[in-house]
Amino acid sequence: MGTSHQVFLVLSCLLTGPGLISCQLLLPSILPNENEKIVQLNSSFSLRCVGESEVSWQHPMSEEDDPNVEIRSEENNSGLFVTVLEVVNASAA
């Protein structure tokens, strides 16, 4: 029987930009919309933060410190702001 290790990484998706001042916007959402995401060791995954104003990711390490993490903005035709956090070759420490 193998040993199962679980590592929890807390990430947050934040509203930024001028919409934050008005405070009348809906909170941003994270996609896929799951309470828990379990990934296999050395696999890749991505999360999208979507909001009515500019959004950004807050995570424990900077992109410069972790080459397996990429954060980028994506454009879509819905008028919403989308920022993607992509993890390649996921590992635990």
Side-chain angles (χ1 to χ4, degrees):
M1 198 177 336
T3 303
S4 173
H5 296 282
Q6 291 186 357
V7 176
F8 296 95
L9 176 62
V10 177
L11 302 167
S12 60
C13 173
L14 305 171
L15 273 177
T16 59
L20 184 61
I21 296 169
S22 71
C23 293
Q24 296 179 356
L25 301 175
L26 296 175
L27 292 176
S29 58
I30 297 175
L31 302 172
N33 187 9
E34 302 170 343
N35 289 335
E36 183 177 285
K37 182 160 188 75
I38 299 173
V39 297
Q40 296 294 318
L41 190 62
N42 300 317
S43 66
S44 299
F45 68 93
S46 64
L47 300 171
R48 284 174 170 63
C49 179
V50 180
E52 293 180 342
S53 184
E54 291 180 41
V55 290
S56 65
W57 283 99
Q58 180 179 15
H59 56 94
M61 296 177 67
S62 71
E63 288 178 79
E64 294 81 26
D65 293 337
D66 190 351
N68 294 339
V69 175
E70 178 187 351
I71 297 175
R72 66 180 184 279
S73 294
E74 284 187 351
E75 291 191 25
N76 65 15
N77 295 326
S78 69
L80 297 174
F81 293 83
V82 180
T83 302
V84 178
L85 179 133
E86 187 169 355
V87 175
V88 179
N89 197 22
S91 63

